[in-house]
């Protein structure tokens, strides 16, 4: 998918992510998946009230490119062999935002992935495409990318090693 094709998919990805129906669908998905509270302690049953009180500020931060996801809450899960597996639990708000992004980007990028491609190639292709879209501004002047996506790119660069594309 080239840059013109990405641009033609939707003129403003951020507006699509922040659309009321998309956010509602993302919330329903997160709620159905259940899960523990993140570092902020907000439980699923408390989230609607939390969102009513904080959403306008969060939305403004996202639109202005200032939104940063909260740190994840770290939990150690015991393994059957006696070891532990570390689990990172994002806040419910961050899960809703992540899911809203996935609802918009998955239909755009998934058709470009070959079913036989190794997972790493899929991720690299997604990241290269996302790097281009992250430099695009929405109609309100805000960056499309969220800081978490930049973190993924940094990780990928280090994991790939020097000279990797």
């Amino acid at each position: 998918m080239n840059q013109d094709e990405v641009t033609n998919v939707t003129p403003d990805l951020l507006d699509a992510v922040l659309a009321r129906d998309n956010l509602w669908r993302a919330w329903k998905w997160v709620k159905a998946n259940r899960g523990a509270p993140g570092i902020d302690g907000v439980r699923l049953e408390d989230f609607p009230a939390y969102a009513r009180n904080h959403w306008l500020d969060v939305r403004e931060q996202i639109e202005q490119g200032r939104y940063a996801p909260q740190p994840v809450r770290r939990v150690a899960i015991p393994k059957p062999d006696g070891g532990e597996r570390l689990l990172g639990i994002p806040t419910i708000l961050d899960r809703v935002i992540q899911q809203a992004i996935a609802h918009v980007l998955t239909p755009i990028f998934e058709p470009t992935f070959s079913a036989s491609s190794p997972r790493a190639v899929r991720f690299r292709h997604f990241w290269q495409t996302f790097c281009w879209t992250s430099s695009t501004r929405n109609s309100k002047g805000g960056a499309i990318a969220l800081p978490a996506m930049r973190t993924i790119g940094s990780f990928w660069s280090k994991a790939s090693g020097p000279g990797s594309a």
Side-chain angles (χ1 to χ4, degrees):
M1 181 176 282
N2 66 37
Q3 292 179 359
D4 292 332
E5 290 171 322
V6 172
T7 304
N8 290 332
V9 172
T10 179
D12 198 340
L13 291 174
L14 188 58
D15 284 346
V17 168
L18 296 175
R20 185 178 180 91
D21 62 326
N22 186 50
L23 290 166
W24 180 253
R25 191 168 63 128
W27 159 241
K28 297 302 263 179
W29 186 91
V30 169
K31 185 178 176 184
N33 256 5
R34 303 190 337 227
I39 199 166
D40 62 359
V42 175
R43 300 174 307 164
L44 282 169
E45 55 270 17
D46 301 328
F47 182 74
Y50 177 87
R52 278 190 295 279
N53 291 329
H54 295 91
W55 178 247
L56 293 178
D57 291 335
V58 170
R59 182 184 180 101
E60 183 178 310
Q61 290 174 19
I62 293 170
E63 289 174 339
Q64 293 176 359
R66 296 182 296 114
Y67 180 80
Q70 293 290 313
V72 298
R73 182 167 64 97
R74 302 297 284 177
V75 176
I77 307 294
K79 288 183 174 181
D81 66 2
E84 291 183 334
R85 181 174 69 96
L86 290 177
L87 179 65
I89 303 173
T91 64
I92 294 171
L93 176 63
D94 289 338
R95 284 183 253 170
V96 170
I97 293 169
Q98 290 167 4
Q99 192 59 40
I101 292 168
H103 285 163
V104 171
L105 294 183
T106 299
I108 295 169
F109 293 110
E110 188 63 29
T112 66
F113 296 136
S114 167
S116 61
S117 295
R119 192 172 207 151
V121 173
R122 284 182 168 195
F123 186 84
R124 183 174 19 238
H125 176 76
F126 169 81
W127 179 245
Q128 288 168 343
T129 305
F130 195 88
C131 283
W132 177 82
T133 60
S134 69
S135 66
T136 304
R137 309 300 277 188
N138 65 27
S139 62
K140 295 173 184 66
I144 291 174
L146 296 176
M149 298 309 290
R150 292 189 194 104
T151 301
I152 292 170
S154 173
F155 165 78
W156 181 254
S157 297
K158 291 173 188 167
S160 298
S164 298

